[in-house]
Amino acid sequence: MTDEGAERTMQLLYALRSAGVTDPRVLTAMERIPRGHFIHGIFKDRAHEDVPLPIPCGQTISQPSVVGLMTQALQVGPRDKVLEVGTGSGYQAAILALLARRVYTVDRHRDLVLQAREILESLGLHNITTLVADGSHGLAEQAPFDRILVTAAAEDPPSPLLAQLRIGGIMVLPVGQSDTVQSLIRVTRTGEKGFDYDELRPVRFVPLLPGLGTD
Ligand code: SAH
């Protein structure tokens, strides 16, 4: 890494710690995944800043501190099978792949999935499966999941995702109307019918939309 690269990584880690990301496994994973690889064009230069940035198909790569807090709240273990809904750039999936045994990530935009797949392969991350799908239905053929992370906002936790969470499993997702401030919540499945809900913090995500995108 160049001096400038090292300094930018330090800057990012400082922003993460200031935001409350303290889990050393999460910090190490985020230090290892170069966010700049997932951003193209004029915004690439700003990859080290703690802000969301535009990616194709009118979507955004989340703010690193939010990625860090969501990953930390998910409490991913090395034996876990994880579902991510909302691949976007693939950045969050890459971080999950360093912490989990296997990651399935789905997005409704084919172009985003193809681009993310290429970047993830170029980084040598082979425990991620990328799929074009409407993630609000989950991924029944791979269920149940130990962990589910949703990176687009629904009004309520989609019931197929609750059903595909293993008992003892954790799901982290933003809920609320898309044009207002949403809440990041953590759902823990305590039994066949039992779920505990914790409200973590206000966030702002793009909406979880039905069906597939047109690109
Ligand atoms: N996790 C991403 C950021 C995601 S932005 C990253 O690290 O870059 C939210 C993503 O959710 C967008 O790419 C959008 O296309 C996707 N999305 C919205 N509704 C969806 C749905 N029903 N199923 C799958 N993906 C969806």
Side-chain angles (χ1 to χ4, degrees), residues 5-144:
E7 195 181 317
R8 289 183 162 193
T9 303
M10 292 303 292
Q11 202 180 321
L12 184 61
L13 288 172
Y14 179 77
L16 293 174
R17 287 204 188 84
S18 312
V21 183
T22 51
D23 182 332
R25 292 185 65 232
V26 175
L27 289 167
T28 303
M30 292 189 71
E31 191 176 352
R32 284 180 52 195
I33 300 296
R35 187 169 182 247
H37 280 47
F38 296 86
I39 303 168
H40 304 281
I42 54 169
F43 292 104
K44 200 178 177 69
D45 246 19
R46 300 185 54 194
H48 60 288
E49 292 179 25
D50 190 25
V51 292
L53 293 169
I55 57 171
C57 305
Q59 306 302 317
T60 52
I61 179 171
S62 312
Q63 187 176 354
S65 56
V66 172
V67 170
L69 289 168
M70 287 178 90
T71 310
Q72 181 166 278
L74 202 61
Q75 298 169 17
V76 184
R79 300 167 65 97
D80 287 347
K81 178 162 72 165
V82 182
L83 172 66
E84 182 197 23
V85 176
T87 311
S89 66
Y91 177 61
Q92 170 77 73
I95 292 158
L96 291 172
L98 293 185
L99 300 169
R101 176 171 59 82
R102 175 104 230 144
V103 176
Y104 293 87
T105 181
V106 306
D107 203 287
R108 58 191 291 282
H109 285 289
R110 176 174 302 276
D111 280 2
L112 291 177
V113 170
L114 295 179
Q115 203 168 73
R117 186 179 292 161
E118 204 172 291
I119 300 166
L120 295 166
E121 276 172 13
S122 76
L123 290 173
L125 297 167
H126 300 302
N127 59 338
I128 309 182
T129 305
T130 48
L131 297 154
V132 182
D134 175 355
S136 49
H137 303 301
L139 194 60
E141 62 272 28
Q142 297 298 341

Side-chain angles (χ1 to χ4, degrees), residues 83 135-140 143 148 157-165 171 189:
L83 172 66
S136 49
H137 303 301
L139 194 60
I148 300 178
S159 46
L161 296 182
L162 291 171
Q164 290 175 25
L165 193 59
M171 169 158 67
R189 185 164 193 178

